[in-house]
Amino acid sequence: MSTQTIRPARTLQGSVTLPGDKSISHRYALLAGLAEGTTRLSNFSTGADPQSSLACMESLGAKIVHNDDKTIDITGTAGAFTQPAKPLDCGNSGSTMRMLSGLIASHRHVFTLIGDHSLTLRPMERIRKPLMQMGAKLDLIDGHAPITIYGGPLKAIDFDTPIPSAQVKTAVLFAGLQAEGTTSLTESVRTRDHSEHALRAFGATLLREGEKLSIPGGQTLKAINATVPGDLSSAAFFLCASLLFPDANLVLDSVGMNPTRASLLDVITALGGKIKVLNVEEQHGELIGTIQVNVAPGGLKGTEISGALSAQIIDELPVLAAIAPYTRDGITIRDAKELRVKESDRIALVAKNLKAMGAEFTEYEDGLAIPGNQQLHGADIDSGTDHRIAMAFSVAALRATGDTLIHGSEAAAISFPEFFAHLDSLCQR
Ligand code: S3P
């Protein structure tokens, strides 16, 4: 286990380019593996999670080439995955395990999906239910991985997603794409729509009428050329870090600005951040822009995050919680029970680490209320092998008194291997 020391900073200045969006990288890798032809991807995520998706595609018969110019070529299986010789290892990646299950369930093979300790603790019943309704046979162990899928022909279903989860939605869409009949799906809360854009980019037909999505089955996909937008959830650490310093000035190039992900920018504005978005472009339905951020005169206020918003910025909640003590009025997070079943119990770990840094707060089953106007001190932080916890508390450490030790800092590489190097280059001390 590695430990990273974070010293307090005086301010944050400069510009960085982020690795490709993790969510989009997974989807492009999976769909490219199923498609006919060779997909060329630029700025594919450098995180370990999307590499797990690539490795699974290779085990299923896709050919992957990493080119010298950092592009990746994926030659797909033209709709015919092969029987993998060994279990499909999803590593730490819930996205890989859940979305891949939907993608492979109609193929007449027996698949075993495995993952690391954290992934084995995460709920998988949520994908088993709809896939079973479609006719797939999935064995779990007490609702968890390892998952065995006995693949075979699927039939369309009408599905209402009971929990707001883009991963569950995607598993159903990817299975529906290859089923008999038209699958429809209604979401209680509109979650990130990268799968919808990616499916269309690869040539699939998909309809949305109000809250209802429909995907006809029996469709085939064609390879694409694409550049993955920078990851806004990785950008969130630097955006929040810059809010801690009145004279900070940060520019982030080519960041994904998909509206179903960009609510974070509204929260930052509500907190008192000044955001400028420049040069917005669109590729394959995804918006990409340059973001400039600094703090409005008057400093950081506070905010409450609840309801649908909590689901929409679920991955950014740990870092918002970590900067909450430095705001004037604090941050309250509710309706975020899903945080307890992410790579770790993120509510419990945020609470543990806030406490270590001397913060006061109230912990709820579905969130935290963190008062403002608190000065934190350097401490020993437990990442719990969770990438977003390691990075969130590195941000909190920048305004603490004394040094902070992030234990298990290597977890950052799950989504953002360059994080500590970028943080160091932006911080002025
Ligand atoms: C993701 C969806 C979210 C998010 C995860 C990535 C995706 O999970 O927390 O990091 O790429 O679809 P859920 O779908 O479980 O909410």
Side-chain angles (χ1 to χ4, degrees):
M1 195 161 64
S2 322
T3 296
Q4 190 85 31
T5 303
I6 308 288
R7 283 180 296 131
R10 202 165 33 81
T11 190
L12 210 104
Q13 301 273 342
S15 127
V16 283
T17 303
L18 295 147
D21 185 87
K22 181 162 89 69
S23 292
I24 298 174
S25 295
H26 280 301
R27 286 153 172 87
Y28 284 174
L30 297 183
L31 294 179
L34 181 69
E36 187 190 333
T38 301
T39 289
R40 173 158 291 188
L41 301 175
S42 308
N43 199 38
F44 191 81
S45 166
T46 47
D49 268 7
Q51 302 300 323
S52 294
S53 284
L54 280 180
C56 289
M57 283 301 107
E58 208 158 31
S59 303
L60 287 161
K63 302 260 171 315
I64 317 272
V65 177
H66 294 264
N67 301 307
D68 293 343
D69 61 358
K70 295 200 172 156
T71 59
I72 299 179
D73 288 340
I74 306 173
T75 304
T77 57
F81 288 134
T82 52
Q83 170 72 52
K86 53 182 189 345
L88 297 165
D89 189 351
C90 305
N92 189 244
S93 175
S95 302
T96 305
M97 187 168 273
R98 296 190 180 120
M99 301 197 287
L100 182 62
S101 295
L103 193 75
I104 60 183
S106 62
H107 296 251
R108 290 177 192 269
H109 304 297
V110 179
F111 306 99
T112 307
L113 282 71
I114 58 169
D116 68 6
H117 176 69
S118 143
L119 187 51
T120 307
L121 300 174
R122 298 183 65 186
M124 291 297 149
E125 189 58 33
R126 52 183 68 187
I127 51 146
R128 189 169 83 118
K129 273 210 179 114
L131 294 177
M132 294 272 285
Q133 276 177 37
M134 296 179 92
K137 181 165 165 13
L138 277 85
D139 284 350
L140 307 179
I141 296 178
D142 207 12
H144 299 99
I147 306 180
T148 309
I149 302 179
Y150 302 90
L154 303 181
K155 55 183 187 321
I157 54 166
D158 292 333
F159 186 63
D160 287 346
T161 55
I163 12 170
S165 166
Q167 295 175 359
V168 175
K169 168 174 69 177
T170 303
V172 173
L173 290 177
F174 285 3
L177 174 79
Q178 303 169 81
E180 194 194 324
T182 295
T183 294
S184 66
L185 184 141
T186 310
E187 290 190 276
S188 51
V189 169
R190 189 136 175 205
T191 62
R192 62 190 72 190
D193 63 1
H194 303 302
S195 298
E196 293 89 309
H197 290 303
L199 280 162
R200 289 194 184 105
F202 279 89
T205 298
L206 183 90
L207 303 167
R208 177 179 276 281
E209 284 165 88
E211 294 310 299
K212 189 169 165 184
L213 274 174
S214 305
I215 184 156
Q219 302 196 62
T220 55
L221 302 180
K222 285 259 178 311
I224 61 167
N225 281 336
T227 299
V228 181
D231 196 322
L232 183 58
S233 298
S234 298
F237 299 103
F238 302 134
L239 291 170
C240 288
S242 70
L243 297 181
L244 300 179
F245 304 99
D247 57 345
N249 193 0
L250 175 70
V251 177
L252 301 170
D253 294 325
S254 308
V255 185
M257 301 282 306
N258 179 315
T260 60
R261 290 281 292 286
S263 310
L264 169 70
L265 302 182
D266 300 333
V267 173
I268 288 178
T269 307
L271 276 172
K274 266 200 322 193
I275 302 249
K276 257 197 221 148
V277 178
L278 317 160
N279 313 325
V280 181
E281 286 169 39
E282 197 223 285
Q283 199 192 57
H284 295 309
E286 296 288 352
L287 297 180
I288 306 167
T290 296
I291 304 178
Q292 186 179 17
V293 66
N294 38 43
V295 184
L300 280 190
K301 297 175 270 194
T303 193
E304 189 176 323
I305 300 162
S306 61
L309 182 58
S310 295
Q312 279 151 1
I313 58 165
I314 195 83
D315 291 341
E316 290 75 66
L317 294 176
V319 68
L320 287 165
I323 62 163
Y326 302 115
T327 62
R328 190 188 64 200
D329 305 324
I331 298 181
T332 297
I333 298 167
R334 300 303 302 260
D335 304 317
K337 213 166 73 201
E338 275 291 303
L339 279 180
R340 294 209 181 264
V341 290
K342 292 293 178 187
E343 287 82 330
S344 67
D345 177 341
R346 287 184 172 159
I347 295 178
L349 263 184
V350 165
K352 174 178 174 179
N353 290 317
L354 279 176
K355 192 166 170 208
M357 296 185 83
E360 297 210 345
F361 57 87
T362 306
E363 179 179 345
Y364 303 104
E365 187 47 32
D366 68 344
L368 294 151
I370 306 156
N373 253 325
Q374 305 191 61
Q375 177 56 55
L376 306 189
H377 55 73
D380 285 284
I381 296 299
D382 173 13
S383 80
T385 72
D386 184 327
H387 55 132
R388 298 207 196 275
I389 299 293
M391 293 187 276
F393 282 88
S394 302
V395 171
L398 300 177
R399 269 275 305 272
T401 51
D403 292 353
T404 295
L405 300 177
I406 310 286
H407 300 294
S409 56
E410 73 285 353
I414 287 295
S415 58
F416 196 1
E418 308 84 352
F419 171 75
F420 290 108
H422 282 334
L423 189 68
D424 207 43
S425 77
L426 290 172
C427 283
Q428 300 194 352
R429 292 187 157 104

